[in-house]
Amino acid sequence: MKLPGLLLVFLAPHRATGLHSNFLSHNDIIEFIANGHVYLKDMLPQLREESFRVAHNYARDEASKAYERYSIEKLGCNETDMDYLTRVENGDGALALKDCFEYAKDNRHEQSKPFYQLVDLHEHSKAIAEIAMGEHIASIAADLLQVDRVRLFQTRTFRKVPQKDKTMEQIFNHATYMHTDLKMVPIDTNQFFTFWCPLRNVTAEDSVLTYARGSHRDASSKLWYGNASPRQLQGTYEPEREEEVKFWKKKQCPKEPQDPFFEFEELEEPACKIPPLHVRRGLNERFQHKLKKRRGESQRIETEYSEINGGAKDRYDIDIYDKINLGDCVAHHGWLLHGATSQRSSSGPREAIALSYVHADDYKLLSKEDREGIPFLEDGFEDEIMFWQWYYDVKDGAIIDHPKLPLVWPPQSKGMEPSVNETNECDSTDNTESLEDDMH
């Protein structure tokens, strides 16, 4: 097989295999480059250890409190007579945040429901820091990105928890519509990706991850449809944004009526259609068969599957992993469109850890005044928690050299240990009823 010349340049040999890592194969890298995602079997076997579960549960609880405090302060609820922050410290943070949102909605016209961003797990657990910043995973990251220098961008945990209360279900177990991670990252780069690793075996009975194959390489959609609403392009329309879609339809669509590229009951008029890149052979028939076998919630899950993929399912092949075992991970590119259904009530919580990496020598995004393109974080503050600790210290357009973005490859001095907020992780217990939302 003859590889493209550019790929051969990137695969300059470091060892006999030509790779930094002893874990990956060249086929893994080619699959990642071509499809935007790759399944890595048994990449992190230490996730199966009881000690990791304890460490993760503690880090998750600390990250939950951090996000609840951050969101309550951002929404201004701490300025009211109700003591929201005290409720967070007393373990009632999820309900406190729900009440805070209701207050903000009534008094400040906030519309979108918050979702939990449980970040910086490596700062709360030495065990997680050693995995996230260790030579094994860092070498894999360098090979997938095809670079010689890599930084850890973020560590997160995602947890979908079915709820009986409708509002809580929407907050803590919503379907995740098609999106790209790099749209929420203030770095000017194409070299960014995330490992998604479940913390138990997941099957088709759980929340299903979907990936729009090759969408990270689809420059034509941005070139020819770049003036359309990003939510239209990505199929991430939400019912409460109907007026926004109608605005873009009036601005962008031709006068002649066209078939909608996505369909929602709330949308009376069709939006612009983005043509498919090729003729589809039908929608993943094997998965559709699995959907039909589900009971009780099958119609809801099938409807979600159609809605979360939006226009992407008409333009790309949709890849689905209906079985991911504990210890296995899926790596996906930062520009790859992906989403997930909600979690089945009968399956209980579904939890995963995500570790994101970026080329070490890329630059902080310029301000919107100094560049063309869509504004960054135009929809609100909730993603800012992923980067606020370094964002305001680094100048616009400067290299992202900051202690909060540690260099993990090449390997640092063996005498250096990751900085962790030292606490007794062994005191943590697995609170399976805790309310934590999941973007994936």
Side-chain angles (χ1 to χ4, degrees):
M1 177 178 180
K2 186 176 180 181
L3 298 178
L6 181 61
L7 186 58
L8 288 174
V9 171
F10 281 132
L11 294 182
H14 295 269
R15 297 175 179 172
T17 62
L19 303 177
H20 297 291
S21 168
N22 289 323
F23 178 81
L24 290 178
S25 69
H26 287 92
N27 285 338
D28 291 331
I29 297 175
I30 292 171
E31 183 176 345
F32 178 77
I33 292 173
N35 296 337
H37 61 89
V38 62
Y39 188 99
L40 301 173
K41 183 176 177 56
D42 207 31
M43 191 188 89
L44 293 178
Q46 55 268 58
L47 300 188
R48 305 185 189 110
E49 299 173 2
E50 176 65 16
S51 59
F52 178 84
R53 185 189 66 81
V54 172
H56 171 266
N57 289 345
Y58 175 82
R60 181 193 66 202
D61 292 344
E62 292 301 305
S64 296
K65 292 180 181 179
Y67 181 72
E68 290 154 3
R69 288 191 294 264
Y70 172 85
S71 298
I72 286 170
E73 291 174 358
K74 280 288 187 177
L75 289 170
C77 296
N78 58 315
E79 301 171 1
T80 68
D81 294 334
M82 297 184 65
D83 200 347
Y84 291 95
L85 295 179
T86 299
R87 293 173 63 187
V88 170
E89 299 307 319
N90 291 337
D92 191 32
L95 291 175
L97 183 57
K98 177 192 174 185
D99 292 342
C100 174
F101 167 73
E102 295 297 337
Y103 166 81
K105 182 178 179 180
D106 293 339
N107 294 275
R108 306 190 180 196
H109 307 291
E110 295 282 346
Q111 295 299 317
S112 60
K113 296 179 177 65
F115 60 85
Y116 271 61
Q117 294 271 38
L118 306 186
V119 303
D120 296 322
L121 269 67
H122 62 287
E123 295 189 355
H124 301 294
S125 166
K126 184 176 180 179
I128 295 177
E130 289 175 345
I131 291 175
M133 301 168 68
E135 184 173 345
H136 170 64
I137 199 169
S139 64
I140 296 173
D143 284 334
L144 290 177
L145 291 177
Q146 298 293 281
V147 298
D148 289 323
R149 287 166 51 82
V150 177
R151 296 185 187 277
L152 174 66
F153 175 76
Q154 190 53 266
T155 54
R156 292 170 287 169
T157 190
F158 297 128
R159 183 179 174 94
K160 286 189 182 290
V161 185
Q163 301 292 322
K164 294 181 180 179
D165 178 85
K166 183 177 180 180
T167 301
M168 298 297 273
E169 173 76 6
Q170 291 175 339
I171 295 177
F172 300 110
N173 188 34
H174 61 72
T176 306
Y177 292 85
M178 277 286 180
H179 66 282
T180 61
D181 294 340
L182 269 173
K183 185 177 180 291
M184 298 168 282
V185 174
I187 300 175
D188 188 358
T189 185
N190 290 311
Q191 295 163 307
F192 177 103
F193 83 100
T194 296
F195 292 113
W196 190 95
C197 314
L199 297 181
R200 66 169 174 83
N201 295 342
V202 297
T203 69
E205 296 298 310
D206 291 299
S207 171
V208 177
L209 276 69
T210 68
Y211 299 89
R213 186 193 309 168
S215 57
H216 66 305
R217 297 182 290 107
D218 187 10
S220 63
S221 68
K222 298 296 182 184
L223 179 62
W224 301 122
Y225 304 95
N227 290 329
S229 163
R231 294 181 182 275
Q232 279 187 299
L233 288 173
Q234 297 181 4
T236 54
Y237 169 72
E238 298 170 6
E240 60 265 28
R241 296 184 180 273
E242 181 174 352
E243 293 303 317
E244 176 187 349
V245 171
K246 287 183 178 180
F247 167 79
W248 283 103
K249 174 186 179 296
K250 185 180 297 184
K251 184 176 180 180
Q252 292 296 131
C253 289
K255 294 181 179 179
E256 294 296 326
Q258 297 188 16
D259 294 333
F261 73 92
F262 56 70
E263 296 179 357
F264 288 89
E265 293 180 0
E266 295 85 356
L267 187 59
E268 296 179 358
E269 300 180 52
C272 296
K273 179 176 175 128
I274 299 180
L277 290 178
H278 51 77
V279 178
R280 292 296 308 281
R281 296 180 179 176
L283 189 64
N284 202 313
E285 296 179 359
R286 183 166 64 92
F287 182 69
Q288 290 289 357
H289 177 68
K290 287 180 177 290
L291 285 176
K292 292 178 181 178
K293 291 173 61 178
R294 292 189 178 191
R295 296 180 180 178
E297 297 171 309
S298 60
Q299 184 60 48
R300 175 177 66 85
I301 298 295
E302 188 167 2
T303 299
E304 282 183 359
Y305 174 81
S306 177
E307 291 179 353
I308 64 174
N309 294 317
K313 70 179 184 295
D314 295 324
R315 188 170 177 84
Y316 313 103
D317 284 320
I318 303 299
D319 292 329
I320 301 163
Y321 292 107
D322 52 25
K323 181 179 180 181
I324 309 176
N325 291 328
L326 178 60
D328 301 349
C329 299
V330 178
H332 68 266
H333 193 277
W335 286 124
L336 187 76
L337 286 168
H338 59 287
T341 61
S342 62
Q343 176 69 349
R344 283 189 73 190
S345 298
S346 59
S347 299
R350 188 222 67 184
E351 197 160 19
I353 187 171
L355 308 102
S356 299
Y357 297 87
V358 63
H359 181 209
D361 300 322
D362 279 326
Y363 302 89
K364 178 186 172 183
L365 194 66
L366 292 172
S367 66
K368 63 180 180 180
E369 290 79 17
D370 295 325
R371 61 179 174 83
E372 297 181 1
I374 64 173
F376 178 67
L377 285 188
E378 58 182 337
D379 293 332
F381 68 86
E382 59 189 13
D383 293 306
E384 189 182 34
I385 193 172
M386 290 194 296
F387 52 80
W388 70 272
Q389 294 188 71
W390 63 266
Y391 181 79
Y392 300 102
D393 294 339
V394 179
K395 292 183 179 180
D396 292 349
I399 291 178
I400 51 171
D401 185 5
H402 193 278
K404 291 296 182 180
L405 297 170
L407 186 70
V408 296
W409 190 266
Q412 303 302 290
S413 169
K414 296 296 183 180
M416 298 175 60
E417 292 190 359
S419 174
V420 179
N421 297 329
E422 292 292 344
T423 46
N424 185 5
E425 297 174 359
C426 294
D427 291 340
S428 176
T429 57
D430 184 9
N431 181 9
T432 56
E433 299 300 320
S434 63
L435 303 177
E436 296 162 356
D437 184 32
D438 175 18
M439 193 171 182
H440 302 304

